[in-house]
Amino acid sequence: WLKSIAAMERKKPLAIFLLAALIALGPLGIGFGSKQAAPVDSSSSKDHDVRLLGLRSSQLFPVTNLSLVSWFFLIFFPRWRKLQQVVLIGPMVNAVVYAAVAFLAARNPHAPAVDFSSLEGIRTMFADADACFAGWLHYCVFDPLIGFGEVLDSRQLKVPHLLVVPCLLMTMLAGPVGFLMYMSLRSIVLWTKDDFHFNVQ
């Protein structure tokens, strides 16, 4: 399996093609588990006032698909020498968009009051499209960074990447579950090394 990964790393044209495909599909709104959303009645919505570069949150949403680029390289090219630079592109872009949307939403007089003291307050906040978009951006920034940390840590501990891939997939789809999976795997590896002096390759 490791030999197949090494072979993939030598096929840079294929990687460039797949990367370009992910970016090209982004504007089409294609992503994991995506479904055609029901049309929103803008006449009854107060959350459409925030615009960034003339675009509403719904129009900016495909930008979040940049996080798929990070996941692609974390899963298939974990030892590439330029991994860090490429993986950080998605989180950085999404973080900039998040900061801009959050700033504009905070200045929106129609934005709902933010109440973090109760679940009902959180539910009300995320009923607003701009707040919901900001929340999704938050997810798309930090989950790939957690995955990046898993890859770096597993390389240091010499954990076989094949065992890390399920953790990465779960971190992408259900962040805390994937993080717990990796921490469990990490504990097992450390326990194995300490008790049996076995170097995991």
Side-chain angles (χ1 to χ4, degrees), residues 2-199:
L2 293 177
K3 290 182 179 179
S4 65
I5 289 295
M8 290 177 64
E9 290 180 349
R10 291 194 293 268
K11 297 179 180 179
K12 290 185 178 180
L14 175 61
I16 294 174
F17 170 79
L18 293 174
L19 176 61
L22 285 172
I23 297 175
L25 291 176
L28 300 178
I30 298 177
F32 288 106
S34 61
K35 295 182 179 180
Q36 183 65 36
V40 177
D41 182 9
S42 60
S43 62
S44 60
S45 176
K46 295 181 180 180
D47 56 22
H48 62 274
D49 293 335
V50 173
R51 288 176 180 243
L52 178 62
L53 300 177
L55 300 175
R56 298 173 180 172
S57 293
S58 59
Q59 296 168 312
L60 290 168
F61 184 81
V63 173
T64 61
N65 280 343
L66 276 174
S67 62
L68 297 179
V69 176
S70 301
W71 289 115
F72 173 79
F73 281 93
L74 287 173
I75 292 171
F76 293 105
F77 299 93
R79 293 175 178 81
W80 188 34
R81 59 187 179 86
K82 294 185 178 180
L83 180 68
Q84 177 175 336
Q85 295 91 319
V86 175
V87 166
L88 293 179
I89 292 175
M92 285 297 298
V93 172
N94 284 326
V96 170
V97 177
Y98 172 89
V101 170
F103 174 76
L104 294 174
R107 300 182 60 187
N108 180 10
H110 299 295
V114 179
D115 177 17
F116 293 105
S117 63
S118 67
L119 180 60
E120 182 63 23
I122 300 297
R123 189 193 67 81
T124 301
M125 179 182 68
F126 281 113
D128 178 82
D130 296 316
C132 188
F133 178 51
W136 182 249
L137 282 166
H138 190 284
Y139 170 90
C140 291
V141 169
F142 284 103
D143 276 27
L145 295 179
I146 296 297
F148 186 36
E150 294 171 3
V151 168
L152 293 181
D153 188 69
S154 65
R155 283 166 49 178
Q156 183 177 3
L157 295 178
K158 295 183 173 59
V159 181
H161 187 66
L162 182 62
L163 300 179
V164 181
V165 169
C167 303
L168 291 173
L169 292 174
M170 286 306 300
T171 302
M172 178 175 61
L173 300 174
V177 177
F179 176 70
L180 287 176
M181 283 180 60
Y182 178 73
M183 292 305 293
S184 299
L185 173 63
R186 186 181 194 275
S187 298
I188 293 172
V189 169
L190 290 176
W191 175 77
T192 303
K193 283 186 173 183
D194 291 342
D195 283 10
F196 299 100
H197 305 286
F198 180 73
N199 187 23

